[in-house]
Amino acid sequence: METGLPKFDSAFSIDCVIFGFEAGELKVLLIERNEDPFKDWWALPGNMVENNESIEDAATRILYELTGLHDMHMEQFHTFGAVQRHPLGRVITVAYYALIRIIGQKEVKPVTKYAKKAAWRSVNELPKLAYDHSEIFETSIQKLRRRLGYQPIAFELLPEKFTLTQLQLLYEAILNKKLDKRNFRKKMLSYGFLKELDEKQKGVSYRAAKLYKFDRRKYYKIFQNDLTPEN
Amino acid sequence: METGLPKFDSAFSIDCVIFGFEAGELKVLLIERNEDPFKDWWALPGNMVENNESIEDAATRILYELTGLHDMHMEQFHTFGAVQRHPLGRVITVAYYALIRIIGQKEVKPVTKYAKKAAWRSVNELPKLAYDHSEIFETSIQKLRRRLGYQPIAFELLPEKFTLTQLQLLYEAILNKKLDKRNFRKKMLSYGFLKELDEKQKGVSYRAAKLYKFDRRKYYKIFQNDLTPEN
DNA sequence: ACAAAAGTGTTCGTACTACACCCATGA
DNA sequence: TCATGGGTGTAGTACGAACACTTTTGT
């Protein structure tokens, strides 16, 4: 790394791909821009990194400002740095994704002036996005799919108590393919980190399903060794 | 993303974790710094991103300046943005790793003045590195290990023609564990992308091993569908 | 009684694991 | 002839894939 520290006119930003799950569909939180460039376009929520905050802090702050949520599972997944990606200047953006529970959430409202509104959109029906945000989104969902295979991220998107069918629908929505019900249940239960509750679904007009919750303690006990392979 | 584009005094850099494989050991290319801060410390090679180049171009350029090599497999793996990571100012760094063939390589010599020299060091005997480079290195090797499981990256580190034992030693060095010879060979050959050559190892004082090469064409034919799961 | 989803086992094939000896070559 | 790594097969186990019917509940 050079030490000369040349100052040049460029800026960092954070862009967030905020995933949620609702009505059997995987959704992403978009904002409608109220300013040029890309006025009236849909975009990923994002903002500039302040000079006195780490990029992780910035990601957390920006998510909070846009959704009012703390302590979310956020994960950096890629940094985008094409020269012309922002029409007004050089902006390199670090992209994070976050997983949140939509259920029971008060409606998300942007607290910044540069957005008209925020809305959950199905990942299957996204409009063309501002800047290179379509590319950022595509990358995010690929990383999300891969990570689903080795990390218990799905539970961040579900209510605390959920049925196995809900869990399966979520997996299907993320992976974009149908899964076999029996195999899915067998596998999930075999991990041993799902805790069966003495409670059932309510308000459905058919046989009520058992509720489960994700047992974080058991998960770490089971997988702590596997996650640090060797040494 | 904000449009106001505030200019603030900060900079981007690229840091490269350059892996090589030699004498049965996984190595990484380090430079010895010739300037403050961290004068006389070992560090990862890196440099500032110019204002008119993308971060990918910057990574390619920096690798070239430090090693004289083109067309290397480079992969962005994480961006580090702690406020105090650079003692002289705010520098956010995008880290890449590269995989190169040491064999037959003319010695690597830094072409920049800020480094006294460059040297290949075994990943098992690294000194404490400048800045947060030890952390960057640790992250890189974890990503490398994971990627080894689903991408044919090992071949970038070997000479074009190699024996199965060399390939196995490389896997063992990256994964830091012993593998079973028979199982390893069976599995590798079963993929069908290794081309057996009509040639044998030379200059060894024991039974010469067959040479193989990686058949990129076959690899893509076999895995093109698997790499784009669905749609 | 009917509609709707919950819940449940078995079979098959594939892939990974563990494991030990003879072979070819150069010195 | 000896030392050194090259090269090979099999049996057991674990895991994923395919596949269909009965049960429970609310209306």
Side-chain angles (χ1 to χ4, degrees), chain B residues 115-152:
Chain B
K116 279 187 240 179
K117 58 183 173 190
W120 290 103
R121 301 287 297 260
S122 164
V123 298
N124 297 316
E125 303 160 0
L126 290 187
K128 205 176 293 181
L129 300 180
Y131 307 104
D132 55 356
H133 286 187
S134 293
E135 179 191 355
I136 294 177
F137 171 76
E138 268 312 309
T139 305
S140 77
I141 199 159
Q142 284 166 22
K143 300 275 181 172
L144 183 68
R145 277 183 191 139
R146 192 175 286 284
R147 218 160 302 206
L148 186 66
Y150 58 87
Q151 295 258 292

Side-chain angles (χ1 to χ4, degrees), chain B residues 10 19 34 49 62 95 105 117 144 150 166 181-182 184:
Chain B
S10 58
F19 288 104
N34 200 21
V49 178
I62 290 165
Q105 206 51 49
K117 58 183 173 190
L144 183 68
Y150 58 87
Q166 285 166 352
K181 183 163 65 160
R182 277 174 292 190
F184 180 81

Side-chain angles (χ1 to χ4, degrees), chain A residues 13-227:
Chain A
S13 64
I14 300 285
D15 284 306
C16 297
V17 182
I18 305 173
F19 288 105
F21 183 62
E22 194 182 36
E25 286 194 312
L26 188 63
K27 308 243 169 145
V28 60
L29 188 64
L30 298 181
I31 57 164
E32 192 178 355
R33 294 180 52 83
N34 200 22
E35 292 181 2
D36 275 322
F38 294 102
K39 186 162 172 14
D40 303 328
W41 286 57
W42 291 90
L44 296 172
N47 217 325
M48 294 297 168
V49 178
E50 304 291 338
N51 219 355
N52 60 352
E53 66 185 349
S54 72
I55 54 177
E56 289 79 13
D57 290 346
T60 304
R61 170 180 61 79
I62 290 164
L63 180 62
Y64 174 71
E65 289 174 0
L66 285 156
T67 66
L69 294 170
H70 292 287
D71 300 324
M72 294 296 103
H73 180 93
M74 292 196 80
E75 197 105 34
Q76 182 191 312
F77 65 90
H78 201 74
T79 295
F80 295 82
V83 177
Q84 301 295 348
R85 60 173 295 284
H86 195 300
L88 298 186
R90 184 73 195 275
V91 181
I92 291 179
T93 196
V94 184
Y96 281 76
Y97 65 69
L99 305 175
I100 81 172
R101 299 185 224 277
I102 297 181
I103 319 279
Q105 205 52 48
K106 48 196 170 297
E107 196 156 332
V108 284
K109 287 224 178 81
V111 295
T112 57
K113 59 293 167 199
Y114 73 93
K116 279 187 239 179
K117 59 184 174 189
W120 290 103
R121 301 287 297 260
S122 164
V123 298
N124 297 316
E125 304 161 359
L126 290 187
K128 205 177 293 183
L129 300 180
Y131 307 105
D132 54 357
H133 286 188
S134 293
E135 179 191 354
I136 295 176
F137 171 76
E138 268 313 308
T139 305
S140 77
I141 199 159
Q142 284 166 22
K143 300 274 181 172
L144 183 69
R145 278 183 190 138
R146 193 175 287 285
R147 218 160 302 204
L148 186 65
Y150 58 88
Q151 296 258 292
I153 55 180
F155 309 99
E156 312 279 343
L157 289 162
L158 290 173
E160 202 190 352
K161 301 172 182 179
F162 52 85
T163 68
L164 290 178
T165 298
Q166 286 167 351
L167 184 59
Q168 180 176 347
L169 287 172
L170 173 54
Y171 269 77
E172 291 178 344
I174 295 176
L175 299 175
N176 197 25
K177 67 176 173 191
K178 285 277 167 210
L179 301 173
D180 179 88
K181 182 162 66 158
R182 278 175 290 190
N183 292 336
F184 181 81
R185 286 163 178 246
K186 207 185 321 168
K187 187 167 147 188
M188 280 297 150
L189 292 174
S190 77
Y191 290 141
F193 53 60
L194 289 184
K195 185 168 178 181
E196 186 179 329
L197 302 175
D198 285 333
E199 231 177 312
K200 297 201 167 181
Q201 227 177 359
K202 280 182 184 143
V204 291
S205 71
Y206 48 81
R207 175 175 178 179
K210 281 184 212 158
L211 291 171
Y212 291 81
K213 68 182 212 186
F214 175 61
D215 190 332
R216 206 166 294 274
R217 202 177 311 263
K218 270 193 195 149
Y219 174 80
Y220 287 121
K221 193 179 291 181
I222 297 167
F223 290 102
Q224 62 189 349
N225 300 322
D226 298 22
L227 294 180

Side-chain angles (χ1 to χ4, degrees), chain A residues 1-3 5 9 12 15 33 35 47 50-51 53 76 79 86 88 90 92 113 176 231, chain B residues 1-3 5 9 12 15 33 35 46-47 50-51 53 76 79 86 88 90 92 113 176 231:
Chain A
M1 175 183 305
E2 280 290 5
T3 51
L5 277 189
D9 53 338
F12 309 115
D15 284 306
R33 294 180 52 83
E35 292 181 2
N47 217 325
E50 304 291 338
N51 219 355
E53 66 185 349
Q76 182 191 312
T79 295
H86 195 300
L88 298 186
R90 184 73 195 275
I92 291 179
K113 59 293 167 199
N176 197 25
N231 303 325
Chain B
M1 175 182 304
E2 280 291 4
T3 50
L5 277 190
D9 52 338
F12 309 114
D15 284 306
R33 294 180 52 81
E35 292 182 1
N47 217 324
E50 304 290 339
N51 219 355
E53 66 184 351
Q76 182 191 312
T79 296
H86 195 299
L88 300 185
R90 184 73 195 275
I92 291 179
K113 57 294 166 198
N176 196 26
N231 302 324

Side-chain angles (χ1 to χ4, degrees), chain B residues 17-37:
Chain B
V17 183
I18 305 173
F19 288 104
F21 183 62
E22 193 183 35
E25 286 194 312
L26 188 63
K27 308 241 168 147
V28 60
L29 187 65
L30 298 181
I31 57 163
E32 192 178 355
R33 294 180 52 81
N34 200 21
E35 292 182 1
D36 273 323

